[in-house]
Amino acid sequence: MNTDDFLKVSFFKNIKTTLKRCWAPNGICHSKPIKAHSIQNSRVFEILSLNGHVIMPKEKIIHKGEDLIVDFVEIGRNEASTFTGLCGKHDKELFSPIDDFEIDVSNNQQLFLIAYRSVLKKFHSLALTARGTEKIYEDQVKVGRATRDLGDPSLNLMMNQYMLAWAAYRYKEIYDEAYLACQYDIVSHGKFSFKHKKPTVAISALYWLEIAKPNSTQVPWIALNVFPTQTETYVVFSYLVEDAEYVKSEIEGMLNASVKRRLWQLSERIIGLSITHKLGKGEVDYGESTKTGAI
Ligand SMILES: [Zn+2]
């Protein structure tokens, strides 16, 4: 068994027993995870919330379980866009530079941390989905709706979810190592901002492009973060420097477009990520103002 396979087997074994753990970058932390925010609660939600609430996309099962739709619902700002992948100490330690200070979009450490939080959140979400898919598969086997034979569709679905979680875990490891070594420049950022009449939307998302990288089992991932101040909304796409050639068309296409076209494309991307939320294509954490409509 080569090293990569060994790590993969170890990951699959551990993910089952350690989902309720802190995924801080410095090894195993046994502290209980908290509901950590993937969007700045104190600053961004302060600007976006109305009566302590924001609007978020939420999946809704309809037609007796046959269909899934995305609905927009009001949610308390303290509950919005949280994930349980970090303990309180590590959440504070890792993200204090972006939670306790104004974001300066020329500050590489802050931009790295914003993307890092999207990566952690996405990995955690994919791990939960993989585990959930396995439970459903096991139930299907019990009642004879699935088998343990190679090629069984439910088995394939479960394995695909685990492979996605594994890919996200390996991607998270790249960020972990860079964080510990303070090598924030391994991540590049494409960014722009626009003046708004009212702050409307905040996003923390991570998605991947369906592009095979030569000699690699990874795909290029992109973190998308959108956050407002009182007067302006900032949009930041973050990717590994080594992935620059693969993400170029995706990001430059938007950055080189007119402002109107750019915002149109951004809206399409955000809506696309919201709709495919549960289909595994991407993950979006979305805090939209209750004050106004979309951007
Ligand atoms: Zn911890």
Side-chain angles (χ1 to χ4, degrees):
M1 191 183 285
N2 64 35
T3 310
D4 199 50
D5 286 343
F6 175 76
L7 289 173
K8 203 184 291 176
V9 169
S10 162
F11 169 75
F12 285 175
K13 272 186 195 163
N14 283 320
I15 199 173
K16 294 174 188 178
T17 52
T18 57
L19 263 187
K20 289 180 183 169
R21 59 168 276 190
C22 168
W23 291 96
N26 49 356
I28 293 173
C29 168
H30 294 289
S31 300
K32 205 176 158 198
I34 59 160
K35 281 186 181 176
H37 281 273
S38 61
I39 290 175
Q40 293 168 289
N41 188 23
S42 58
R43 290 166 192 277
V44 172
F45 284 154
E46 179 63 35
I47 293 172
L48 287 178
S49 63
L50 187 65
N51 300 326
H53 288 76
V54 292
I55 293 173
M56 285 188 69
K58 196 171 169 56
E59 308 80 24
K60 207 163 137 184
I61 294 168
I62 56 168
H63 300 140
K64 294 181 180 170
E66 293 294 312
D67 262 321
L68 189 70
I69 60 162
V70 177
D71 205 4
F72 288 84
V73 296
E74 267 196 24
I75 187 162
R77 60 177 268 185
N78 289 330
E79 298 300 314
S81 77
T82 55
F83 71 107
T84 50
L86 287 172
C87 72
K89 175 179 165 281
H90 281 118
D91 182 50
K92 179 80 182 156
E93 201 174 283
L94 258 68
F95 299 119
S96 170
I98 50 175
D99 283 340
D100 301 332
F101 299 88
E102 287 287 343
I103 303 289
D104 169 2
V105 288
S106 63
N107 182 321
N108 254 6
Q109 182 200 19
Q110 285 188 319
L111 292 186
F112 175 93
L113 291 175
I114 288 170
Y116 191 16
R117 187 143 63 178
S118 304
V119 172
L120 277 163
K121 163 81 171 61
K122 179 64 179 173
F123 157 66
H124 187 252
S125 164
L126 284 172
L128 282 177
T129 305
R131 186 73 184 110
T133 313
E134 184 179 4
K135 283 182 176 167
I136 293 169
Y137 167 69
E138 290 298 340
D139 284 346
Q140 286 177 324
V141 170
K142 271 184 208 161
V143 298
R145 292 269 176 89
T147 69
R148 299 200 185 279
D149 299 336
L150 280 179
D152 181 275
S154 297
L155 178 62
N156 283 348
L157 178 68
M158 180 191 81
M159 290 312 298
N160 284 342
Q161 292 296 345
Y162 268 107
M163 292 311 292
L164 274 175
W166 167 245
Y169 179 73
R170 295 307 300 263
Y171 194 66
K172 169 192 167 311
E173 280 189 326
I174 297 171
Y175 268 78
D176 288 348
E177 280 172 27
Y179 171 81
L180 293 171
C182 299
Q183 286 177 338
Y184 307 124
D185 57 358
I186 68 148
V187 182
S188 266
H189 311 278
K191 56 203 173 192
F192 67 93
S193 66
F194 57 92
K195 298 265 183 211
H196 55 232
K197 287 181 186 154
K198 286 180 182 177
T200 52
V201 66
I203 307 289
S204 169
L206 183 76
Y207 62 99
W208 66 90
L209 302 180
E210 303 276 356
I211 298 172
K213 290 167 61 175
N215 307 318
S216 171
T217 52
Q218 271 288 6
V219 286
W221 298 76
I222 298 173
L224 168 60
N225 278 276
V226 179
F227 49 94
T229 62
Q230 287 293 357
T231 55
E232 251 176 306
T233 296
Y234 291 90
V235 180
V236 184
F237 292 92
S238 307
Y239 52 91
L240 296 181
V241 171
E242 65 181 58
D243 287 343
E245 61 182 296
Y246 307 108
V247 304
K248 203 174 162 191
S249 58
E250 163 87 2
I251 295 172
E252 285 191 0
M254 200 176 294
L255 295 184
N256 294 333
S258 66
V259 175
K260 196 175 171 186
R261 179 78 196 137
R262 203 185 283 175
L263 294 184
W264 179 266
Q265 287 178 344
L266 179 66
S267 294
E268 276 187 340
R269 170 55 73 193
I270 291 169
I271 292 166
L273 286 171
S274 303
I275 290 169
T276 53
H277 175 66
K278 278 290 171 192
L279 302 178
K281 174 65 183 167
E283 173 81 17
V284 63
D285 246 354
Y286 196 124
E288 187 183 333
S289 174
T290 54
K291 297 171 187 167
T292 54
I295 50 176

